[in-house]
Amino acid sequence: MLIRRDPDVLSAFLEDAAHFPGGHAAGIALPSSESEVADVLRSASAVLPIGAQSSLTGGATPMGEVLLGTSRLNRILEIGSDWARVQAGVTLADLDAALRAAGKYYPPAPTFTGAFVGGTVATNAAGAATFKYGTTRDWVRAMTVVLASGDARRIERGGAKASSLVPVPTYRMPAVPKNSAGYFAAAGMDLIDLFIGSEGTLGVITEVTLRVLPRRPALCHAFVTFADRSAALAFVAGLRRASHAVAVSAIEHMDARCLSILREDGVDRQLGVPIPDDSAIALLVTLELPAGTDAEQAFDEIGRAHDGSPPDTPLVRLCRMLDEAGVLERVEIAVPGDSARAEQLLAVREAVPASVNARVGRTKHAIDPRIAKTAADMVVPFDRVGELMSMYDEEFARRRLDAAVWGHISDGNLHPNVLPRSYSDVESGKDAIMTFGRAVIAMGGSPLAEHGVGRNPVKQALLGELYGDRGVAEMRAVKETLDPDYKLAPGVLFPRR
């Protein structure tokens, strides 16, 4: 298997979406088969598996390893009645297109559709629809993984226990919808769950069989701004309680700083999505309406929502809840079939992290190369979300840090991001994140919700806060059982020996 070592080739692969500094690689291999993956693992002393390099933790930034890219493992192998078998380098966008053509749907995908399926499995990715559908883990039926030795193993859910291969850690994971914090651990756990979320440290995933929905729902998106954050939180709480009746699958939020960034960059004007100046928070609500619901039917229901006897449908119920909250006139909606408007509303949400990451990158290159993405990914029980938001506000204000917060509010999962103006802001932001993490753990949450741990030293420290030294030592025992030489992704999850 050819390993490219040309600096001009490698330069495109030395940084992931976290702008983690210091990336350098010994070479890159782009295998197109399981056997070629095995060849790379047998010949190299240190290997970092990568997908789309959309990691927000530095986990896909090389530190001297040979990169093993999965972009050529990009075939959709087979689609069944309620499953799809794909190679690891298939993008979520390509998977969705193939499933759409078959009338099927894979719901737990994260918001970045350029991510590779293998990467989402390796990080147990989650996203907006976790509220209804859970994380990637809940949708993986089988996989093929190549171990550090080069040996390939086909693993099916229910086929073997993890304890048949490794000593299963004894720490207890927090009871929240998302927890991407090192190795999964539970009594009697399935072997497949050991590799899901292991961040490429235990094996290279080459193929995955995913569960899919046999019928694709009709999606409806509503973007709504609130002038008062407490009113928005009350509205979200009401939607959560009525989620079945209103057919809610996801609720995302963007705080006031996010909205000001969108206005600064002209995103609101480019996409035709007005953001009133008094907006304190915006929500993006996704409904899953019955398959076959079209724009004409949706607009008819919206128009009849205030009739004396309107139809009792999820869309009518949503309109009434918006009216009761006093925000019906602040809503932008994309009904089923209006893909252009749906893309605009979703693009508003995606523009927030893209704009923040771009600002971090520009500051890094213009001010100080040590500047890196300084952000957290924390989840708490929903009844503590307001408390967490207030803590973010107060701590950032006390430190005089510019910060934006967005996330999957229906899960209680919030992403605070520092917008550093100097390296001292990065250092202060790291301290703030440690403060947040300890508080989140005390609330019964996880300071590592869906992005994983990667190389980020703050996230690695939070992993220690969550499970303690003993828990991290138990993870190392798992690693050393399968990869005693620390060949795979050395420095990811915990520091190198």
Side-chain angles (χ1 to χ4, degrees), residues 260-336:
S260 71
I261 288 171
L262 294 174
R263 288 192 292 261
E264 288 168 16
D265 291 356
V267 172
D268 54 337
R269 297 184 299 277
Q270 294 165 16
L271 296 174
V273 180
I275 300 173
D277 290 340
D278 68 346
S279 300
I281 188 172
L283 303 176
L284 180 61
V285 181
T286 300
L287 307 187
E288 292 189 353
L289 305 180
T293 303
D294 59 19
E296 182 180 358
Q297 179 183 341
F299 280 126
D300 178 68
E301 292 180 7
I302 292 169
R304 296 173 60 194
H306 296 289
D307 287 355
S309 55
D312 187 20
T313 67
L315 200 47
V316 168
R317 296 184 194 111
L318 175 66
C319 289
R320 290 193 159 189
M321 292 180 71
L322 289 164
D323 191 32
E324 290 169 4
V327 293
L328 190 57
E329 300 304 316
R330 301 173 71 113
V331 177
E332 298 294 320
I333 196 160
V335 297

Side-chain angles (χ1 to χ4, degrees), residues 103 128 142 146 210 244 249 279 285 303 373 418 433 443 478 481:
V146 183
L210 300 168
H244 181 71
S249 64
S279 300
V285 181
K373 185 175 179 69
V418 175
I433 289 168
M443 294 179 195
V478 172
T481 300

Side-chain angles (χ1 to χ4, degrees), residues 138-385:
D138 302 306
W139 294 78
V140 178
R141 285 187 172 178
M143 70 168 66
T144 299
V145 60
V146 183
L147 303 179
S149 62
D151 295 331
R153 184 157 185 159
R154 173 74 175 174
I155 305 172
E156 296 187 2
R157 185 167 293 283
K161 300 294 186 184
S163 57
S164 67
L165 192 63
V166 299
V168 175
T170 60
Y171 46 76
R172 184 176 180 180
M173 299 187 301
V176 283
K178 301 174 178 178
N179 185 49
S180 187
Y183 303 146
F184 183 86
M189 64 180 276
D190 201 296
L191 178 59
I192 201 169
D193 286 318
L194 179 67
F195 292 95
I196 299 169
S198 62
E199 299 193 38
T201 63
L202 301 180
V204 179
I205 297 167
T206 60
E207 183 184 302
V208 184
T209 300
L210 300 168
R211 179 167 63 95
V212 301
L213 294 181
R215 297 193 69 198
R216 191 178 189 93
L219 299 181
C220 178
H221 303 284
F223 178 89
V224 56
T225 61
F226 286 76
D228 180 73
R229 189 169 74 185
S230 61
L233 285 173
F235 180 74
V236 172
L239 280 180
R240 281 171 50 89
R241 288 192 298 270
S243 60
H244 181 71
V246 186
V248 174
S249 64
I251 313 168
E252 300 184 79
H253 95 285
M254 293 146 273
D255 77 350
R257 183 63 179 111
C258 294
L259 301 180
S260 71
I261 288 171
L262 294 174
R263 288 192 292 261
E264 288 168 16
D265 291 356
V267 172
D268 54 337
R269 297 184 299 277
Q270 294 165 16
L271 296 174
V273 180
I275 300 173
D277 290 340
D278 68 346
S279 300
I281 188 172
L283 303 176
L284 180 61
V285 181
T286 300
L287 307 187
E288 292 189 353
L289 305 180
T293 303
D294 59 19
E296 182 180 358
Q297 179 183 341
F299 280 126
D300 178 68
E301 292 180 7
I302 292 169
R304 296 173 60 194
H306 296 289
D307 287 355
S309 55
D312 187 20
T313 67
L315 200 47
V316 168
R317 296 184 194 111
L318 175 66
C319 289
R320 290 193 159 189
M321 292 180 71
L322 289 164
D323 191 32
E324 290 169 4
V327 293
L328 190 57
E329 300 304 316
R330 301 173 71 113
V331 177
E332 298 294 320
I333 196 160
V335 297
D338 190 352
S339 58
R341 191 53 171 165
E343 288 172 5
Q344 289 174 326
L345 298 187
L346 294 171
V348 169
R349 162 64 175 83
E350 278 303 288
V352 172
S355 295
V356 168
N357 290 344
R359 281 166 168 77
V360 173
R362 289 196 297 268
T363 306
K364 172 184 176 178
H365 292 295
I367 304 297
D368 192 322
R370 296 175 297 170
I371 287 173
K373 185 175 179 69
T374 308
D377 164 36
M378 301 187 178
V379 59
V380 294
F382 181 77
D383 60 4
R384 308 297 291 270
V385 165

